[in-house]
């Protein structure tokens, strides 16, 4: 095969002058990009910079309006992802393209031309195990995918691409859902893959340190154009962010010291079940004080979501107590909690945080319909709400044409700003912020984090749940790493060492002297 | 007693094949609530052709063919046009009910052909039904075709990026499913009860539909469920054979339906799902529309 004769340093993929237009948007504007065998070449950009479009073009999902793609020096024309797969391009999707009800091995061989009519799971299993050994992956091939962690699912996707014979691996936000130890293992595997002359193209929005650690070259996109091409030696986190955003970004949010007041929220021995009726929150105790950000760090699925829902009154507590300003609210309905001063930013901003087919005014009304200032005798004061929405849009810099815009037409960052505006405008005593910056680009993240800091200055207590370790560490006054429904400890945010919190998130209880 | 068991297994055979056909379609993500309608078509057309030509073989082939055609129609609406599958299935039922009453009416009465010979006292279709269950299990779990069918039923967009033609796979399942439904209908009218009368099925198709949910999409549980329901059905028809004078036969008549309702209610509880992890195809009932 042609692919076998590749040597390190040969250009395997080259895109020249890629241009793609969507109605009203120039998503990709004459983008040039190339990658060599055995190289890691990252593509960096904010949301809306054209990364996804470019990725979809390289994978054959979209056809470019202008420009050419050359694979191993020959011009190619992908009509569908299948063409790209057949020519050795593998894609590891951020929202995993796997079937949860099927086993790992079934997912890997799905659609594989060599699978045969009658599946030979023994033979394919052996071949896949060899791949695992070679690249240092550990996975149970007979496990069902729904039982796997995010990191393991990613391994399955990588294996699927490799088993199909991928020579170029596109990784979409490869580390965004991984715990630090998983990230470390992934980077190790990437290094072995490049030794085998594979070309790796990670697409990255956040987690800039990873880019610096793993890649040799970086192409930065901004507003559909290439804004910089650099070697990673010599680049810094700051310089990359500047190229992405087009201005200097405050990287580490300065933690403002605010005098702590009395405790607002007290949680004692709280336990709860998850959707599968398994105990997912075990005996958790903590408190949040006025003017404090209490951070919960953890990899997705370790009980943070359950905790947030119990505190918001959306899920029943199995045991324990929740006190808000010394009043027991363990079994209070949500509405009572909102009236008593809890504000809730759900992690699913599209499914739970907003109703896509409602206008922005209606979405704001969802948090105000019970407010006596905006409703009289059951009649909602839409005039007032409209004015309020307009104020929020301008104050929070939401890019929306009018308050009557449908929520679903907003980008993730703008929608999150609107949800933030809705919650903060009620001046909550306690703000539960569940993954407030997940999936947001650098600019919007900075905005949200600033607003959280402002709320803290105004003496609100904030419970910040985040999967981004850097975010938790830089914002929180105290941090609780969470693992399998338990707090692995509660440590002061300023002094917490990244490695220690990282290993606590993976389930290790540290020795006291290490903290 | 032996006679009762034989009749029960004969009834079970029809449930088995009809429910298996529905299971096959559902594993590919296409729900067809019009099983009853397709069965009526298969039964009526099969009956008409067999009586006209005097050939059982042609009768069964006609029943299978019309079933496949209705399957194709259901596929066209629910796969190609992406319409609501429940509404569409109800349409097929109403169409089947109305049209077969109209075209079958002149054929009212017994088939008037020599009965199909038994094999060791049982209808030969019983063995065909069991064989179909084993084949379906093998295809679904051990072959790459089965993996493709299951994957388009679980998550068509994943299947698509893995290089699977979702439309073709779903059509294949839905047409095969329709053929089996037509076959089940023809077994009813040519073997089980070879008399044509108005709306003679009286809910067999709906029980078959419920059996698929009852089986948790597993062919073997489906076989067990079919035998259970076939026995109950038979019991409801002739309670005096087993339990003379226990209840009015009109109450017995409601037993299979009552149990169906009860079983479905139990299975739809959170408790049951958490415990048994019902393997419902994720994309069941959802048209796959590419953007």
């Amino acid at each position: 095969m042609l692919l076998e004769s590749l040597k390190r340093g040969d250009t395997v993929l080259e895109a020249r002058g890629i241009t793609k237009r969507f109605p009203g948007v120039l998503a990709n504007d004459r983008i040039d990009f190339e990658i060599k065998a055995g190289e890691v070449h990252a593509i960096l950009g904010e949301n809306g910079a054209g990364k996804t479009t470019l990725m979809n073009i390289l994978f054959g999902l979209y056809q470019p309006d202008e420009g050419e793609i050359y694979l191993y020096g020959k011009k190619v024309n992908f009509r569908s992802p299948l063409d790209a797969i057949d020519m050795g391009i593998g894609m590891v999707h951020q929202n995993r393209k796997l079937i949860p009800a099927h086993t790992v091995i079934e997912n890997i061989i799905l659609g594989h031309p060599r699978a045969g009519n009658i599946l030979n799971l023994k033979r394919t299993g052996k071949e896949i195990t060899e791949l695992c050994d070679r690249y240092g992956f550990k996975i149970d091939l007979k496990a069902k995918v729904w039982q796997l962690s995010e990191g393991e699912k990613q391994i399955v996707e990588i294996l699927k691409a490799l088993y199909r014979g991928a020579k170029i691996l596109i990784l979409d936000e490869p580390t965004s859902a991984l715990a630090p130890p998983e990230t470390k293992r992934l980077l190790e595997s990437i290094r072995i893959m490049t030794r085998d002359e594979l070309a790796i193209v990670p697409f990255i929005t956040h987690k800039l340190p990873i880019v610096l650690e793993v890649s040799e070259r970086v192409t930065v996109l901004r507003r559909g154009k290439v804004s910089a091409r650099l070697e990673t030696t010599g680049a810094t986190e700051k310089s990359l962010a500047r190229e992405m955003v087009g201005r200097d970004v405050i990287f580490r949010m300065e933690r403002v010291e605010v005098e702590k007041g009395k405790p607002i929220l007290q949680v004692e021995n709280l336990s709860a079940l998850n959707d599968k009726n398994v105990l997912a929150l075990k005996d958790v105790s903590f408190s949040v004080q006025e003017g404090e950000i209490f951070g919960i760090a953890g990899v997705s699925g370790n009980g943070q979501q359950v905790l947030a829902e119990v505190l918001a009154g959306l899920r029943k507590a199995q045991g324990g107590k929740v006190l808000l300003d010394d009043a027991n609210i363990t079994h209070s309905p949500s509405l009572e909690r909102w009236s008593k001063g809890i504000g809730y930013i759900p992690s699913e901003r599209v499914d739970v945080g907003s109703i896509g087919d409602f206008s922005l005014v209606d979405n704001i009304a969802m948090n105000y319909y019970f407010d006596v200032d905006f409703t009289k005798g059951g009649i909602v004061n839409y005039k007032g709400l409209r004015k309020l929405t307009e104020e929020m849009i301008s104050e929070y810099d939401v890019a929306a044409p009018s308050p009557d815009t449908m929520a679903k037409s907003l980008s993730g960052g703008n929608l999150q700003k609107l949800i933030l505006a809705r919650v903060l405008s009620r001046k909550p005593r306690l703000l539960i912020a569940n993954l407030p910056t997940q999936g947001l680009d650098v600019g919007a993240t900075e905005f949200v984090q600033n607003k959280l800091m402002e709320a803290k200055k105004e003496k609100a207590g904030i419970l910040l749940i985040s999967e981004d370790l850097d975010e938790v560490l830089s914002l929180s006054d105290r941090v609780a790493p969470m693992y399998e429904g338990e707090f692995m400890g509660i440590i002061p945010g300023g002094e917490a060492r990244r490695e220690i919190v990282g290993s606590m998130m993976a389930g290790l209880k540290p020795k006291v002297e290490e903290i | 007693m032996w006679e009762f068991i034989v009749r029960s297994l004969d009834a079970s055979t029809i449930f088995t094949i009809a429910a298996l056909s529905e299971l096959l379609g559902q594993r590919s993500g296409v729900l067809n609530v019009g099983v009853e309608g397709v069965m009526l078509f298969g039964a009526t057309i099969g009956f008409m052709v067999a009586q006209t030509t005097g050939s059982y073989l042609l009768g069964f082939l006609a029943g299978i063919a019309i079933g496949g055609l209705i399957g194709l129609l259901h596929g066209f609406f629910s796969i190609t046009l992406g319409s609501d599958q429940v509404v569409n299935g109800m349409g097929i039922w109403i169409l089947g009910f109305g049209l077969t009453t109209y075209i079958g009416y002149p054929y009212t009465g017994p088939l008037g052909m020599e009965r199909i010979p038994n094999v060791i006292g049982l209808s030969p279709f019983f063995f065909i039904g069991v064989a179909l269950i084993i084949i379906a299990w093998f295809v679904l779990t051990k072959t790459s075709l089965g993996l493709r069918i299951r994957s388009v039923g679980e998550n068509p967009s994943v299947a698509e990026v893995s290089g699977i033609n979702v439309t073709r796979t779903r059509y294949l399942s839905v047409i095969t499913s329709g053929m089996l439904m037509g076959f089940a209908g023809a077994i009813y009218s040519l073997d089980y009860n070879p008399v044509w009368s108005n709306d003679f099925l009286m809910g067999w198709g709906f029980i078959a539909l419920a059996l698929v949910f009852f089986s948790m999409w597993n062919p073997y549980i489906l076989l067990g469920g079919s035998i259970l329901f076939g026995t109950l059905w038979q019991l409801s028809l002739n309670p005096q054979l087993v339990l003379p004078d226990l209840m009015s036969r009109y109450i017995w008549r409601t037993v299979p339906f009552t149990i169906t309702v009860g079983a479905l209610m139990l299975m739809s509880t959170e408790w049951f799902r958490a415990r048994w992890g019902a393997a419902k195809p994720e994309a069941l009932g959802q048209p796959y529309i590419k953007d």
Side-chain angles (χ1 to χ4, degrees), chain A residues 43 54 152 207 228 233 325 341 356 423 447 484:
Chain A
I43 296 186
L54 179 62
E152 289 171 316
K207 304 240 180 179
T233 39
D325 286 324
V423 172
F447 185 92
E484 297 203 335

Side-chain angles (χ1 to χ4, degrees), chain A residues 221-241:
Chain A
L221 300 185
R222 194 198 317 155
R223 297 207 190 122
K225 287 188 188 153
V226 174
S227 69
R229 262 186 219 94
L230 7 120
E231 309 270 327
T232 33
T233 39
T236 63
E237 215 176 309
K238 236 183 167 124
S239 68
L240 289 176

Side-chain angles (χ1 to χ4, degrees), chain A residues 42-286:
Chain A
I43 296 186
L44 202 61
E46 290 197 282
N47 290 332
K51 269 184 319 180
T52 311
T53 308
L54 179 62
M55 184 160 55
N56 285 337
I57 288 173
L58 295 180
F59 192 54
L61 217 54
Y62 295 157
Q63 280 69 46
D65 295 333
E66 283 159 42
E68 290 115 31
I69 298 172
Y70 294 86
L71 206 54
Y72 322 115
K74 262 198 254 155
K75 195 176 163 200
V76 288
N77 214 338
F78 297 142
R79 282 157 303 155
S80 74
L82 201 52
D83 287 350
I85 291 171
D86 286 342
M87 289 186 217
I89 296 184
M91 171 96 161
V92 176
H93 304 263
Q94 186 187 9
N95 41 354
R96 312 275 177 236
K97 291 279 188 190
L98 297 171
I99 296 178
H102 290 180
T103 62
V104 169
I105 194 165
E106 283 178 334
N107 268 286
I108 293 174
I109 61 173
L110 178 63
H112 196 285
R114 280 204 304 125
N117 283 330
I118 292 174
L119 303 174
N120 187 341
L121 294 185
K122 218 177 221 165
R123 191 199 71 209
T124 39
K126 220 179 114 208
E127 288 169 0
I128 296 167
T129 311
E130 276 164 21
L131 275 180
C132 285
D133 293 344
R134 185 176 185 94
Y135 297 115
F137 296 127
K138 275 199 196 74
I139 194 109
D140 174 9
L141 295 181
K142 291 198 179 101
K144 302 262 199 229
V145 165
W146 62 263
Q147 299 169 316
L148 305 182
S149 72
E150 271 311 306
E152 289 171 316
K153 285 183 200 160
Q154 185 176 51
I155 291 176
V156 179
E157 285 229 323
I158 295 175
L159 282 171
K160 179 167 179 162
L162 293 177
Y163 191 60
R164 270 243 160 146
K167 296 287 162 192
I168 300 162
L169 210 52
I170 300 175
L171 307 172
D172 184 9
E173 307 285 350
T175 59
S176 67
L178 304 189
E182 285 179 314
T183 303
K184 216 171 147 196
R185 279 200 291 275
L186 174 70
L187 297 186
E188 195 46 48
S189 297
I190 288 180
R191 280 189 197 104
I192 307 172
M193 285 190 258
T194 54
R195 250 178 262 147
D196 278 354
E197 316 313 340
L198 266 87
I200 317 273
V201 190
F203 280 70
I204 291 166
T205 313
H206 357 253
K207 304 240 180 179
L208 301 182
I210 306 297
V211 181
L212 290 173
E213 192 171 344
V214 77
S215 45
E216 281 122 59
R217 284 192 290 171
V218 181
T219 294
V220 186
L221 300 185
R222 194 198 317 155
R223 297 207 190 122
K225 287 188 188 153
V226 174
S227 69
R229 262 186 219 94
L230 7 120
E231 309 270 327
T232 33
T233 39
T236 63
E237 215 176 309
K238 236 183 167 124
S239 68
L240 289 176
R242 194 185 315 117
E243 294 298 345
M244 267 169 87
V245 185
R247 62 181 164 85
D248 276 314
V249 177
I250 305 163
F251 241 91
R252 289 268 180 270
M253 184 70 50
E254 278 303 311
R255 196 179 19 248
V256 190
E257 288 306 330
V258 177
E259 202 187 324
K260 308 273 176 298
K262 60 186 179 93
I264 299 174
L265 178 79
Q266 285 163 282
V267 173
E268 292 165 20
N269 305 95
L270 195 64
S271 303
L273 305 178
N274 66 7
D275 288 339
K276 292 197 167 103
N277 278 341
V278 177
L279 195 66
L281 183 66
K282 300 166 192 162
D283 224 8
V284 165
S285 303
F286 65 98

Side-chain angles (χ1 to χ4, degrees), chain B:
Chain B
M1 193 63 203
W2 173 245
E3 192 202 351
F4 175 76
I5 292 171
V6 166
R7 281 303 273 176
S8 297
L9 288 179
D10 285 354
S12 306
T13 302
I14 295 168
F15 283 134
T16 304
I17 296 174
L20 181 66
S21 68
E22 179 67 20
L23 181 139
L24 190 62
Q26 288 197 8
R27 288 302 288 260
S28 79
V30 183
L31 176 71
N32 185 354
V33 297
V35 194
E36 178 98 351
V38 188
M39 285 175 75
L40 279 168
F41 269 113
T44 305
I45 302 291
F47 189 90
M48 286 161 59
V49 169
Q51 198 171 59
T52 313
T53 61
S55 157
Y56 274 119
L57 182 65
L58 288 179
F60 278 112
L61 288 179
I64 292 169
I66 187 75
L69 211 63
I70 306 289
L72 178 69
L73 184 75
H74 185 57
F76 178 70
F77 278 101
S78 53
I79 302 166
T80 304
L81 300 184
S83 61
D84 187 302
Q85 297 174 10
V86 174
V87 173
N88 205 23
M90 289 312 278
I92 285 177
W93 173 52
I94 294 166
L95 179 76
F97 181 50
L99 209 56
T100 57
T101 305
Y102 175 66
I103 57 173
Y105 188 69
Y107 293 83
T108 306
L111 180 65
M113 289 165 66
E114 203 176 312
R115 295 298 298 259
I116 295 168
N118 286 344
V119 179
I120 49 173
L122 282 165
S123 156
F125 298 105
F126 176 74
F127 303 100
I128 293 179
V130 175
L132 283 173
I133 290 282
I134 296 169
I135 293 169
W137 167 82
F138 183 80
V139 169
L140 282 174
T141 58
K142 301 281 171 203
T143 68
S144 110
L145 173 66
L147 183 58
R148 291 206 293 272
I149 292 175
R150 286 187 285 133
S151 64
V152 300
E154 288 288 341
N155 192 330
S157 64
V158 171
E160 176 110 55
V161 291
S162 307
I164 285 154
N165 188 327
V166 176
T167 307
R168 197 189 300 161
T169 310
R170 284 195 165 172
Y171 263 110
L172 179 75
S173 295
V174 173
I175 293 171
T176 314
S177 158
M179 288 163 78
L180 285 172
M181 285 176 199
F183 183 46
I187 296 173
Y188 183 94
S189 68
L190 296 180
D191 182 54
Y192 180 74
N193 187 12
V195 179
W196 199 93
S197 64
N198 197 3
D199 187 27
F200 49 93
L201 272 182
M202 300 179 304
W204 285 68
F206 286 103
I207 300 249
L209 178 64
L211 271 168
V212 177
F213 290 82
F214 180 84
S215 75
M216 298 185 278
W217 294 267
N218 175 327
Y220 288 122
I221 303 179
L222 184 102
L223 179 64
S226 298
I227 291 174
L228 176 71
F229 271 79
T231 312
L232 282 168
W233 188 269
Q234 207 53 48
L235 196 64
S236 76
L237 288 176
N238 320 82
Q240 67 282 5
L241 279 180
V242 183
L243 300 159
D245 309 320
L246 188 67
M247 283 190 287
S248 152
R249 58 187 288 253
Y250 296 104
I251 294 178
W252 275 109
R253 205 64 199 82
T254 67
V255 167
F257 297 97
T258 317
I259 291 185
T260 305
V261 171
L264 287 181
M265 271 164 52
L266 176 72
M267 290 192 53
S268 56
T269 58
E270 196 95 355
W271 170 82
F272 190 92
R273 274 157 200 269
R275 191 168 194 91
W276 297 98
K280 184 174 172 190
E282 280 294 315
L284 179 60
Q286 295 164 10
Y288 180 54
I289 298 154
K290 274 186 275 184
D291 38 33

